[in-house]
């Protein structure tokens, strides 16, 4: 059974990849994908990278998406709408701390609603 997937969106490819590395090393059994920077390696966000990352980790268990700045949120919202997937949650939590908490919850087999409740409890 697949766990809840996690997507990290950042304007910096290095930041997104770094958060992914931390989650994989610190938590272990976690399904995480990074979508940082633009296709040409510049600072910014890419709708195509975001869509691909969500598709790569999405399962029936759902997906939690984290973002760093406003345009990343906007592109994430567009990607989620275009993909027409169910069980995708755009997290209102700090990228690293929120993703870490979500990864821990997901690694324990928590359902998407339990992951979201843990994030809301910690970061609201």
């Amino acid at each position: 059974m697949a766990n809840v997937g996690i997507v990290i969106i950042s304007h910096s490819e290095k930041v997104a990849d770094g958060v992914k590395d931390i989650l994989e090393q610190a938590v272990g059994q976690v399904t995480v994908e990074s979508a940082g920077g633009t296709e040409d390696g510049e600072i910014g966000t890419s709708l195509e990278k975001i869509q691909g990352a969500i598709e790569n980790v999405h399962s029936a268990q759902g997906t939690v998406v984290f973002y760093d700045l406003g345009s990343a949120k906007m592109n994430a919202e567009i990607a989620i709408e275009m993909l027409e997937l169910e069980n995708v949650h755009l997290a209102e939590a700090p990228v690293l701390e929120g993703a870490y908490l979500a990864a821990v919850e997901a690694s324990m087999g928590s359902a998407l609603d339990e992951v979201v409740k843990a994030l809301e409890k910690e970061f609201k």
Side-chain angles (χ1 to χ4, degrees):
M1 180 161 122
N3 291 336
V4 171
I6 298 169
V7 173
I8 308 300
I9 303 169
S10 174
H11 282 70
S12 166
E13 185 172 12
K14 290 179 182 179
V15 169
D17 290 346
V19 172
K20 178 183 178 197
D21 289 346
I22 289 170
L23 299 182
E24 290 175 340
Q25 289 182 32
V27 180
Q29 301 282 61
V30 63
T31 305
V32 60
E33 187 73 37
S34 61
T38 62
E39 284 85 4
D40 58 2
E42 297 295 321
I43 297 293
T45 58
S46 162
L47 180 59
E48 291 78 22
K49 279 186 160 186
I50 295 167
Q51 285 178 307
I54 293 170
E55 288 177 315
N56 285 343
V57 301
H58 191 69
S59 71
Q61 299 304 313
T63 304
V64 182
V65 179
F66 295 88
Y67 61 92
D68 62 359
L69 299 169
S71 64
K73 179 182 181 182
M74 180 185 67
N75 275 335
E77 291 170 337
I78 293 168
I80 292 166
E81 186 176 315
M82 290 176 68
L83 289 171
E84 298 180 348
L85 296 172
E86 294 188 22
N87 298 327
V88 179
H89 177 78
L90 188 58
E92 298 288 336
V95 174
L96 179 56
E97 296 90 340
Y100 184 83
L101 175 59
V104 170
E105 287 288 328
S107 72
M108 295 187 306
S110 297
L112 180 62
D113 63 335
E114 295 170 310
V115 173
V116 171
K117 284 179 189 175
L119 289 169
E120 289 173 349
K121 180 179 177 184
E122 184 67 27
F123 299 108
K124 290 260 176 171

